[in-house]
């Protein structure tokens, strides 16, 4: 049998193929991880440009540079691009690079499908971004695509719906691959409760993805048939209900929020112990807290809908179940702090971003707790307070964690140390400007400024101008990040295999840069 | 040791593959063309059909490659487990896709229609807009969208179809037993019986659609009843069709002598898929046709 194998599949070249074919045809988890990460970075800048259009328009009250319809396209597309193009692919890219190395696997479990998961994305995004140039413009009803408003979208509508279908297919395949890798390809001795937390959080995230992405696909399919094929799922005249869309959408949408933060929790749980030179405090409670958050994420969705009307029992249920999430999240925050307690801390760039994550994500968590209170939410709903809340959990939350991960593992990926001095500059600029950008939005929101409107009342001018200055500062600071990444890829101080003094885990046993094929023979984990 | 080699302790990692990029282009053209068609742009249908053909070519080639590798003996228990997990969780994702439509059905029947009929404290829509509407199921809503219609009774074709699908679940199990006992003729016979039952099911379903659409005036436009009826039975019928094609492929492979009593993942994957469409059908029979 082995003769047959040699005839057909033996290649003398064990490294990557050359040229563009390497990237198009690759089945290597590191290549695919790199593709995901660069795609995500590109989309981060595309979505960022859209955010700057929004902030520029809001620098002054009245209509300045874009017409309201285009403004609405920007708010909708900014969200879709950042969620499905920047944050989710970044996490999948990190999973691709890290999960096989962390569990001692030769590659991802289903390498060909891994290639497809990635290569659907650029095509899906071509479809989505194309809508900007179609008659009637891009979707402008918000990323949530609520009917009946979303059904008034022009030619863009079916393109956007099918783009969402494609991104969903990509996510589900990626998630299946991660589950199969974690369950089937762990090295001998790597028991579940020895897995690094990044692997654990991604395992749980993968289940969330498989459970809810198809629900989104179903919801937008019903939108499509309501618009083109005469169904009345979301129209009361036919016995349907537009609120039904919101229920189905948020059954996807709330777990989606955790899809964008659980892997971030995992990253922070890797970084803080390294730079505290202590093992993670409360490892098993971290695992159980992650699982609890994932479970709760399925039974809180209607807290996005307190103002649309629901029975009192529903309001109470969704209020209390939402508040319950604060418990496992609190467990995590306290564990991170306890890990740092009496550790011998150093503050390299990844650690700085991780600490900023803990503080700023917690601010976003607390404002979320405020929004969970039904009577209060009825006041806050659709104001800038909500915008401030979810940007605090997503930007200094998810995005900071991704940046922290990039700094932390970049030496392992490239074999070079990044420029620590520039990294610190990037950190301080990002952290200062992100607060300049989003903190004032709490105040204008509580004072009643509505979101998704290009104009506002005169008393909100100062805070909006501060916010816009913060936005440009934050945006330009990310160009510095791009420069640091490119510089690190091209050269720099050689990284040791261990890179960080306090780092633990299988990926640090490999040389830097990690060889093209790691763990062809699985290591024994004691 | 190359990474392509496989065997105990060495997981098979294929070198490179061009099928996914063909699949991506195919999928892009398929849905992009469909979107162009729906937005009344020229060439939409053509682009979509080219995309469909490319996607089918990708599936033929990709599955062909994997079948070839399997027959060469590149896969062992370790790779087999990945495939099993992959198929299992893929079916779970399909279950969740159907859950969205069942959710819509239950929400309409349990909440939105009673509320439209004036039940509950928050039902202002009834008072203000639709005071004449009385909650009922089936319904096409306060506006009587699509005009009066009749429903398909549970105890005609749907009951026969239930019997057909349940029987096919038994025949595929007989086929599995035959495979395990190396009875090739019996295996092919039972497999053929299974896909023939599947095809009969689809045929009955098509006939019933014609009857409902033309004689009963039950269309996609028949309010929320018509919407949920066709969405659920339509996607189910589509999945049965796919399942039947998969069964035919497996039957052909059985005839070519593929599969051993120990190594027949593809057979089992298709069997799981077939049981999945069977279970979804039971949900449809109970909640769409019967109650």
């Amino acid at each position: 049998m082995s003769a047959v194998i040699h005839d057909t599949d033996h290649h003398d070249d064990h490294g990557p193929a050359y040229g563009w074919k390497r990237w198009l045809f690759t089945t290597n988890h590191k290549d695919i991880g790199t593709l995901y990460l660069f795609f995500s970075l590109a989309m981060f800048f595309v979505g960022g440009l859209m955010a700057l259009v929004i902030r520029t328009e809001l620098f002054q009250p009245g209509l300045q540079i874009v017409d309201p319809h285009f403004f609405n396209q920007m708010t909708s597309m900014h969200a879709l691009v950042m969620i499905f193009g920047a944050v989710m692919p970044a996490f999948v890219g990190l999973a691709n690079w890290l999960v096989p190395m962390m569990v001692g696997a030769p590659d991802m479990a289903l390498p060909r499908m891994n290639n497809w998961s990635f290569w659907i994305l650029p095509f899906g995004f071509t479809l989505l971004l194309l809508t900007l140039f179609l008659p009637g413009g891009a979707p402008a009803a918000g990323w949530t695509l609520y009917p009946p408003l979303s059904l008034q979208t022009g030619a863009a509508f079916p393109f956007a719906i099918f783009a969402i279908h494609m991104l969903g297919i990509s996510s589900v395949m990626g998630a299946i691959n991660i589950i199969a890798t974690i369950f089937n390809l762990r090295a001998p001795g790597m028991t579940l409760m020895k897995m690094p937390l990044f692997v654990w959080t991604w395992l749980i995230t993968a289940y969330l993805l498989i459970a809810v992405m198809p629900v989104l696909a179903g919801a937008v399919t019903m939108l499509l048939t309501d618009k083109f094929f005469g169904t009345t799922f979301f129209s009361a005249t036919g016995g349907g209900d537009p609120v039904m869309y919101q229920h189905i959408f948020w059954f996807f949408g709330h777990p989606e929020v955790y899809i964008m933060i659980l892997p971030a929790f995992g990253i922070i749980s890797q970084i803080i112990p390294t730079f505290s030179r202590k093992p993670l405090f409360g490892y098993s409670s971290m695992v159980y807290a992650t699982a609890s958050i994932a479970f709760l994420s399925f039974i809180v969705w209607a807290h996005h809908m307190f103002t649309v009307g629901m029975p009192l029992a529903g309001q109470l249920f969704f209020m209390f179940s939402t508040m319950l999430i604060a418990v496992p999240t609190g467990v995590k925050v306290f564990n991170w702090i306890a890990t740092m307690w009496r550790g011998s801390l150093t503050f390299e760039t990844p650690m700085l971003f991780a600490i900023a994550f803990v503080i700023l994500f917690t601010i976003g968590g607390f404002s979320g707790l405020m929004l969970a209170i039904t009577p209060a939410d009825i006041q806050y709903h659709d104001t800038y307070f909500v915008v401030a809340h979810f940007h605090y959990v997503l930007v200094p939350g998810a995005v900071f964690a991704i940046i922290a991960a990039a700094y932390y593992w970049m030496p392992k990926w490239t074999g070079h140390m990044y420029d620590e001095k520039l990294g610190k500059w990037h950190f301080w600029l990002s952290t200062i400007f992100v607060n300049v950008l989003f903190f004032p939005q709490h105040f204008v929101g509580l004072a009643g400024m509505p979101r998704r409107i290009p104009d506002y009342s005169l008393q909100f001018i100062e805070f909006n101008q501060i916010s816009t200055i913060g936005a440009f500062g934050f945006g330009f600071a990310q160009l510095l990040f791009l420069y640091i990444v490119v510089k690190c890829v091209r050269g720099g101080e050689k990284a040791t295999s261990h890179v960080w003094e306090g780092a633990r885990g299988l990926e640090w046993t490999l040389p830097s840069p990690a060889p093209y094929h790691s763990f062809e023979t699985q290591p024994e984990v004691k | 040791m190359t990474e392509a080699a496989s065997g105990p302790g060495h997981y098979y990692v294929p070198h490179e593959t061009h099928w996914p990029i063909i699949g991506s282009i195919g999928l892009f053209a398929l849905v992009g063309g469909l979107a162009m068609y729906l937005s009344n742009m020229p060439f939409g249908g053509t682009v979509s059909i080219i995309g469909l053909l490319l996607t089918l070519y990708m599936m033929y080639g990709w599955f062909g490659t994997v079948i070839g590798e399997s027959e060469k003996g590149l896969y062992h228990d370790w790779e087999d487990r990945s495939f099993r997990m992959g198929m299992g969780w893929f079916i779970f994702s399909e279950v969740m896709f159907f859950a969205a439509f069942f959710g819509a059905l239950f929400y309409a029947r349990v909440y939105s229609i009673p509320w439209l009929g004036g039940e509950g404290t928050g039902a202002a829509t009834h008072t203000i807009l639709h005071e004449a509407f009385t909650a009922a199921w089936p319904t096409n809503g306060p506006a009587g969208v699509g005009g009066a219609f009749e429903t398909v009774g549970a105890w005609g074709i749907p009951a026969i179809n239930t019997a057909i699908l349940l029987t096919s679940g038994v025949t595929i199990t007989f086929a599995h037993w035959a495979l395990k006992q190396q009875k090739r003729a019996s295996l092919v016979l039972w497999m053929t019986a299974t896909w023939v039952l599947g095809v009969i099911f689809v045929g009955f379903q098509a006939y019933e659609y014609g009857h409902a659409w033309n004689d009963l005036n039950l269309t996609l436009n028949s309010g929320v009843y018509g919407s949920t009826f066709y969405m659920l039975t339509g996607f189910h019928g589509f999945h049965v069709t796919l399942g039947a094609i998969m069964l035919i492929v497996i039957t052909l492979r059985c005839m070519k002598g593929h599969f051993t009593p120990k190594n027949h993942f593809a057979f089992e994957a298709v069997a799981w898929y077939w049981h999945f469409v069977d279970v979804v059908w039971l949900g449809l029979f109970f909640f769409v046709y019967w109650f």
Side-chain angles (χ1 to χ4, degrees):
Chain A
M1 189 54 71
S2 76
V4 179
I5 295 164
H6 271 258
D7 283 348
T8 52
D9 283 286
H10 181 84
H11 292 239
D12 292 315
D13 181 8
H14 293 196
Y18 294 101
W20 55 271
K21 278 187 176 174
R22 168 180 178 181
W23 303 105
L24 223 49
F25 300 152
T26 182
T27 51
N28 182 284
H29 72 100
K30 299 189 183 83
D31 283 352
I32 295 171
T34 305
L35 286 169
Y36 264 112
L37 289 172
F38 276 107
F39 177 79
S40 150
L41 193 59
M43 286 299 135
F44 183 52
F45 283 107
V46 171
L49 275 177
M50 293 172 176
L52 290 184
V53 172
I54 296 167
R55 281 317 321 169
T56 309
E57 176 58 45
L58 291 174
F59 188 71
Q60 283 186 347
L63 300 179
Q64 321 295 330
I65 55 158
V66 292
D67 69 272
H69 182 57
F70 188 73
F71 183 88
N72 291 344
Q73 294 175 37
M74 286 293 104
T75 55
S76 311
M77 293 292 280
H78 163 71
L80 288 168
V81 169
M82 285 302 199
I83 293 167
F84 293 105
V87 174
M88 288 168 70
F91 282 136
V92 184
L94 291 169
N96 255 295
W97 252 102
L98 298 170
V99 168
M101 294 204 294
M102 284 176 161
V103 301
D107 203 293
M108 293 292 278
L110 302 158
R112 289 194 183 104
M113 194 174 83
N114 200 19
N115 175 303
W116 204 24
S117 304
F118 171 75
W119 275 109
I120 284 180
L121 278 184
F123 291 93
F125 268 90
T126 306
L127 218 51
L128 187 66
L129 294 173
L130 206 73
T131 60
L132 281 164
F133 307 101
L134 291 176
W143 80 280
T144 53
L145 300 168
Y146 281 3
L149 187 61
S150 67
L151 298 177
Q152 296 175 21
T153 309
F157 189 74
F159 290 89
I161 299 293
F162 289 136
I164 290 170
H165 279 132
M166 286 181 79
L167 308 182
I169 293 169
S170 157
S171 293
V172 169
M173 288 198 298
I176 289 174
N177 222 334
I178 287 165
I179 290 178
T181 306
I182 294 172
F183 278 132
N184 196 26
L185 264 60
R186 281 183 325 232
M190 176 63 81
T191 56
L192 287 176
M193 290 309 271
K194 276 187 193 165
M195 292 195 310
L197 256 163
F198 180 71
V199 180
W200 256 115
T201 52
W202 238 116
L203 179 64
I204 292 164
T205 305
Y207 280 110
L208 293 183
L209 277 166
I210 296 180
V212 302
M213 292 309 289
V215 175
L216 174 68
V220 298
T221 304
M222 286 186 262
L223 281 182
L224 192 78
T225 58
D226 265 17
K227 185 162 168 78
F228 292 107
F229 302 104
T231 60
T232 48
F233 287 105
F234 308 130
S235 161
T237 53
D241 189 346
V243 175
M244 178 165 86
Y245 174 84
Q246 300 185 20
H247 280 291
I248 301 171
F249 178 86
W250 286 113
F251 182 82
F252 145 80
H254 201 79
E256 170 68 20
V257 172
Y258 291 92
I259 288 165
M260 292 190 286
I261 204 64
L262 293 184
F265 289 166
I267 290 164
I268 301 305
S269 305
Q270 301 294 132
I271 292 175
I272 287 184
T274 294
F275 297 98
S276 307
R277 289 158 183 81
K278 275 175 67 189
L280 183 68
F281 186 89
Y283 170 89
S284 51
S285 69
M286 283 298 219
V287 173
Y288 298 134
T290 312
S292 312
I293 293 171
F295 168 73
L296 288 171
S297 75
F298 283 106
I299 56 166
V300 299
W301 75 87
H303 67 215
H304 296 269
M305 306 163 50
F306 283 142
T307 59
V308 302
M310 77 182 82
L312 185 63
Q315 294 188 335
L316 286 171
F317 173 80
F318 286 110
M319 173 168 85
F320 288 124
S321 60
T322 304
M323 290 178 160
L324 215 52
I325 296 183
V327 177
T329 313
V331 167
K332 286 183 165 294
V333 172
F334 283 119
N335 279 346
W336 289 321
I337 294 168
T339 305
M340 287 188 273
W341 181 255
R342 296 195 164 177
S344 24
L345 302 180
T346 50
F347 299 95
E348 286 87 344
T349 311
M351 182 62 163
L352 290 173
F353 273 104
I355 293 172
F357 172 97
V358 174
I359 297 165
L360 298 176
F361 171 80
T362 304
I363 291 177
F366 278 131
S367 59
L369 211 47
M370 291 170 71
L371 288 163
I373 305 164
T374 311
D377 179 76
I378 288 169
Q379 299 301 314
Y380 304 152
H381 188 87
D382 260 353
T383 68
Y384 257 86
F385 189 75
V386 178
V387 176
H389 156 68
F390 68 74
H391 280 97
Y392 259 87
V393 292
L394 284 175
V395 184
V399 172
F400 268 31
I402 292 163
I403 292 172
Y407 282 115
Y408 185 58
W409 281 292
M410 224 176 338
K412 178 56 64 187
W413 300 336
T414 63
H416 308 126
M417 296 305 287
Y418 59 87
D419 188 326
E420 184 65 47
K421 201 172 164 190
L422 286 181
K424 288 211 165 72
W425 268 101
H426 176 223
F427 166 75
W428 286 110
L429 289 172
S430 296
T431 303
I432 291 166
F433 280 121
V434 87
N435 284 293
V436 175
L437 164 55
F438 293 119
F439 211 78
Q441 296 182 0
H442 289 112
F443 307 135
V444 288
L446 290 177
M449 178 171 159
R451 63 190 284 211
R452 292 172 168 164
I453 309 269
D455 190 5
Y456 52 82
S457 190
L458 298 180
Q459 71 268 31
F460 303 131
I461 293 175
E462 286 83 357
F463 282 135
N464 270 294
Q465 295 190 333
I466 293 169
S467 186
T468 298
I469 291 166
F472 276 88
F474 185 77
F476 283 114
Q478 303 325 304
L479 292 176
L480 181 59
F481 178 59
L482 181 65
Y483 174 74
I484 295 168
V485 171
V486 171
K487 195 177 162 198
C488 179
V489 170
R490 293 170 66 98
E493 186 196 331
K494 281 264 170 283
T496 62
S497 63
H498 208 68
V499 185
W500 310 108
E501 184 194 27
R504 289 157 199 243
L506 283 179
E507 77 267 34
W508 308 111
T509 64
L510 291 166
S512 305
Y516 196 58
H517 297 287
S518 37
F519 300 125
E520 282 176 48
T521 309
Q522 291 198 299
E524 192 87 35
V525 180
K526 301 224 166 50
Chain B
M1 200 70 192
T2 74
E3 76 284 359
S6 103
H10 280 274
Y11 193 80
Y12 176 73
V13 178
H15 271 290
E16 52 179 38
T17 172
H18 56 279
W19 296 116
I21 193 73
I22 295 174
S24 295
I25 296 168
L27 202 57
F28 177 67
L30 174 65
V31 297
L34 199 54
M36 285 160 73
Y37 174 76
L38 289 172
S39 293
N40 297 316
M41 295 177 191
F43 308 117
T46 318
V47 172
S48 194
I49 287 167
I50 292 170
L52 179 67
L53 293 175
L54 263 180
T55 309
L56 292 175
Y57 171 65
M58 176 274 289
M59 292 173 87
Y60 178 80
W62 192 335
F63 283 122
T65 308
V66 175
I67 290 167
E69 287 172 351
S70 172
E71 289 302 308
K72 260 183 245 160
L74 291 176
Y75 301 144
H76 299 83
D77 288 352
W78 202 9
E79 292 83 2
D80 201 58
R81 270 202 301 279
S82 291
F83 292 149
R84 280 162 197 282
M85 287 176 189
M87 190 65 191
W89 292 112
F90 166 66
I91 291 177
F92 176 68
S93 77
E94 291 266 53
V95 168
M96 293 310 292
F97 183 68
F98 276 97
F101 301 119
F102 274 107
L105 175 71
F106 296 147
Y107 187 89
R109 292 183 63 172
V110 176
Y111 294 114
S112 66
I113 291 165
W115 286 343
L116 274 175
E119 207 179 279
T121 49
T125 318
H126 175 76
T127 325
I128 297 162
L129 289 177
H130 303 300
E131 216 171 7
F133 180 70
T134 324
W137 185 262
T139 182
N140 49 2
V145 173
F149 66 92
E150 287 174 70
T151 59
V152 177
W155 298 106
I157 288 176
I160 298 170
N161 265 346
T162 308
I164 288 172
L165 270 196
L166 289 177
T167 310
S168 74
V170 176
T171 55
I172 199 168
T173 306
F174 286 161
H176 197 192
W177 286 347
L179 173 55
K180 283 186 165 176
Q181 291 164 3
Q182 310 243 52
K183 293 178 182 161
R184 194 53 64 161
S186 163
L187 163 64
V188 173
L189 186 73
W190 286 117
M191 279 307 292
T192 309
T194 308
W195 68 254
V196 167
L197 285 168
V199 171
I200 295 174
F201 174 93
V202 175
F204 272 145
Q205 198 70 349
Y207 169 79
E208 185 206 68
Y209 266 24
H211 173 63
W213 199 281
N214 298 318
D215 306 334
L216 304 178
N217 192 33
L218 175 60
T219 69
L220 266 174
N221 195 26
S222 299
V224 75
Y225 185 89
S227 307
T228 49
F229 176 83
Y230 281 106
M231 191 67 102
L232 278 161
T233 57
F235 270 114
H236 178 262
F238 174 65
H239 280 76
V240 174
T241 310
L242 285 183
I245 294 170
M246 287 152 66
L247 286 169
I248 292 171
V249 172
I250 295 295
T251 311
L252 292 173
R253 289 187 63 190
C254 291
M255 290 163 77
K256 281 181 83 174
H258 291 189
F259 306 127
T260 66
K262 279 200 74 177
N263 185 359
H264 51 269
F265 157 73
F267 179 96
E268 282 184 80
V270 172
W272 294 349
Y273 196 79
W274 196 246
H275 289 308
F276 149 71
V277 298
D278 199 355
V279 170
V280 172
W281 174 259
L282 287 179
L284 291 179
F285 183 68
F286 279 102
F287 298 114
V288 174
Y289 291 100
W290 192 353
F291 294 110

